[in-house]
């Protein structure tokens, strides 16, 4: 048990602290949010982790970013993506009623709005990922700045007293 606990602590710390400069942390969360907005449900996390691995981003931050598409947010993400995608692909507003949604099976609905949803998902993902990633980077940079201002290099036991 001791060996397993040591392994978990060592690798857990490494996972949480790898590539965590404020900007890289913001990019990692932004990548996760981007994939959360795509219609690739079921593989969003794996796609995002693959990009995190390729780009050497913090995998925990990317995984946290993919949680943007939690069930209460999914209808808003899908609607915004399909609506924007319909404008970009077909040049018209999305025209689908609640009754059509209820009466159409998922396969037919995906065929009907799949392309628009995918294109719109990329646009919504870029916008949401950039915005949320920037917010995370700004917050992380402020925290780093505050932590460095509170440290006293001559007294390692605590913060400086003004």
């Amino acid at each position: 048990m001791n060996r397993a606990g040591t392994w978990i602590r060592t690798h857990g710390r490494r996972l949480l602290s790898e590539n965590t400069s404020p900007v890289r942390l913001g990019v990692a969360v932004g990548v996760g949010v981007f994939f959360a907005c795509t219609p690739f449900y079921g593989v969003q996390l794996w796609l995002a982790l693959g990009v995190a691995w390729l780009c050497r981003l913090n995998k925990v931050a990317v995984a946290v970013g993919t949680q943007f598409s939690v069930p209460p947010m999914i209808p808003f993400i899908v609607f915004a993506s399909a609506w924007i995608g319909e404008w970009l692909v077909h040049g018209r507003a999305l025209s689908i009623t609640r009754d059509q949604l209820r009466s159409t099976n998922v396969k037919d609905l995906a065929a009907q709005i799949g392309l628009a949803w995918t294109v719109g998902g990329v646009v919504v993902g870029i916008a949401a990922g950039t915005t949320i990633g920037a917010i995370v980077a700004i917050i992380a940079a402020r925290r780093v700045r505050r932590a460095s201002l509170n440290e006293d290099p001559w007294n390692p036991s605590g913060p400086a007293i003004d």
Side-chain angles (χ1 to χ4, degrees):
M1 181 74 173
N2 191 17
R3 293 173 99 188
T6 302
W7 187 88
I8 289 170
R9 276 192 301 276
T10 302
H11 291 291
R13 282 190 193 121
R14 184 181 58 79
L15 267 177
L16 289 171
S17 63
E18 72 177 355
N19 302 317
T20 54
S21 72
V23 171
R24 290 186 67 83
L25 196 61
V27 169
V29 171
V31 166
V33 171
F34 168 78
F35 279 101
C37 294
T38 63
F40 308 121
Y41 291 102
V43 295
Q44 293 170 327
L45 175 63
W46 301 111
L47 292 171
L49 287 175
V51 170
W53 179 74
L54 287 173
C55 297
R56 294 187 172 101
L57 297 171
N58 185 300
K59 291 158 197 71
V60 174
V62 169
V64 168
T66 62
Q67 298 309 302
F68 183 71
S69 65
V70 293
M73 291 292 293
I74 291 173
F76 299 107
I77 294 169
V78 171
F79 180 74
S81 299
W83 193 81
I84 290 170
E86 190 73 17
W87 272 107
L88 292 173
V89 173
H90 301 292
R92 63 178 185 253
L94 182 66
S95 60
I96 193 162
T97 65
R98 190 181 314 183
D99 292 333
Q100 286 175 316
L101 282 175
R102 288 182 181 158
S103 64
T104 308
N105 68 27
V106 174
K107 187 176 179 180
D108 292 338
L109 187 62
Q112 188 177 356
I113 65 167
L115 178 62
W117 183 10
T118 303
V119 171
V122 169
V123 173
V124 169
I126 289 170
T130 302
T131 303
I132 294 172
I135 290 169
V136 167
I138 290 167
I139 291 170
R142 285 183 181 168
R143 289 185 62 98
V144 167
R145 197 172 326 120
R146 274 194 205 129
S148 68
L149 291 175
N150 289 334
E151 289 181 3
D152 181 4
W154 303 108
N155 182 7
S157 62
I161 300 174
D162 291 336

